[in-house]
Amino acid sequence: NAGVTQTPKFRILKIGQSMTLQCTQDMNHNYMYWYRQDPGMGLKLIYYSVGAGITDKGEVPNGYNVSRSTTEDFPLRLELAAPSQTSVYFCASSPRWERTEAFFGQGTRLTVV
Amino acid sequence: AQKVTQAQTEISVVEKEDVTLDCVYETRDTTYYLFWYKQPPSGELVFLIRRNSFDEQNEISGRYSWNFQKSTSSFNFTITASQVVDSAVYFCALILTGANNLFFGTGTRLTVIP
């Protein structure tokens, strides 16, 4: 059982480039989330999805886009990368936040130079 | 607004010592859930415990114990007889019932010295 899988694990982008962070879960969870973790900080919610075709903004959505065409996949798109987007990105999934813990991926360390 | 404060940025203890990690939260809602997560050096987030606002019973799981006190809005985490493998960053988090955003504290980095 793979759980939540994120790719890539590491990436260096140049300013202005675009990329997609991939996230896949095999637990048939309805809820999926993207967080970013800056050094010395807690995680902040970028976007979330409560099911296929439904997404919504979190605390820090600017500069990002998401889509949820299937239950399994929840890619995060960075358009026109900026140094402020240098961070570690975590994808998570859960059947429902309240009644269970969230399962997190291993994270993607992104550096924008 | 919701907020989670972990005032201890870094703690170092010698192996076998007990250590308590503090977590203070703020919310005006009466129904919510509190969590603790562990982030070892490898970077992944590992779920440790979830507690709902109606359950103030303390919980013990092996060397880990949690003290939830609504009167002081605290959800502290104690590791008894610490081990080197406990070295990690520990995050406390809060979510309101019906909400979708898990609010994280800034984390406490625990270093257990052999």
Side-chain angles (χ1 to χ4, degrees):
Chain A
N1 191 344
V4 178
T5 303
Q6 290 182 236
T7 57
K9 288 188 169 51
F10 303 94
R11 183 71 186 268
I12 298 175
L13 275 184
K14 293 185 178 178
I15 294 172
Q17 286 186 322
S18 300
M19 76 163 294
T20 299
L21 281 65
Q22 302 291 345
C23 176
T24 299
Q25 53 96 2
D26 61 0
M27 296 170 283
N28 201 33
H29 287 169
N30 287 326
Y31 289 71
M32 296 189 74
Y33 307 80
W34 275 106
Y35 282 88
R36 60 177 285 172
Q37 181 183 22
D38 298 322
M41 304 294 290
L43 282 68
K44 292 193 180 297
L45 184 64
I46 305 171
Y47 270 95
Y48 67 94
S49 169
V50 301
I54 306 170
T55 63
D56 206 347
K57 296 177 181 179
E59 285 182 89
V60 290
N62 292 343
Y64 307 95
N65 278 299
V66 294
S67 59
R68 184 95 181 270
S69 56
T70 65
T71 299
E72 295 77 21
D73 300 309
F74 190 41
L76 177 71
R77 177 83 177 161
L78 279 73
E79 305 282 1
L80 299 175
S84 60
Q85 293 178 305
T86 294
S87 189
V88 180
Y89 292 84
F90 286 96
C91 180
S93 75
S94 74
R96 174 77 180 162
W97 270 118
E98 300 166 0
R99 291 183 279 278
T100 186
E101 72 276 19
F103 295 83
F104 282 82
Q106 298 269 18
T108 295
R109 184 174 296 275
L110 175 67
T111 303
V112 182
V113 296
Chain B
Q2 285 63 238
K3 187 177 178 182
V4 177
T5 301
Q6 294 180 257
Q8 303 153 308
T9 305
E10 295 190 26
I11 300 176
S12 291
V13 298
V14 177
E15 201 171 20
K16 297 185 183 177
E17 286 185 345
D18 299 347
V19 58
T20 295
L21 309 182
D22 298 333
C23 173
V24 174
Y25 62 93
E26 296 175 30
T27 178
R28 293 180 182 167
D29 283 54
T30 56
T31 57
Y32 48 87
Y33 287 77
L34 295 162
F35 296 77
W36 275 96
Y37 280 88
K38 175 182 179 180
Q39 187 177 41
S42 51
E44 74 276 18
L45 281 155
V46 179
F47 166 82
L48 295 178
I49 191 172
R50 177 189 72 251
R51 174 68 66 206
N52 77 56
S53 54
F54 295 111
D55 182 3
E56 288 194 68
Q57 279 191 337
N58 291 332
E59 182 157 340
I60 298 174
S61 176
R63 296 184 297 107
Y64 295 171
S65 62
W66 291 268
N67 184 320
F68 176 29
Q69 292 195 339
K70 288 182 76 171
S71 60
T72 56
S73 297
S74 65
F75 187 42
N76 297 337
F77 173 30
T78 297
I79 302 175
T80 302
S82 59
Q83 300 177 1
V84 173
V85 294
D86 296 327
S87 295
V89 179
Y90 291 86
F91 290 99
C92 180
L94 162 76
I95 189 168
L96 304 182
T97 302
N100 287 292
N101 193 8
L102 190 61
F103 290 93
F104 283 83
T106 52
T108 298
R109 181 178 299 278
L110 173 66
T111 301
V112 181
I113 303 165

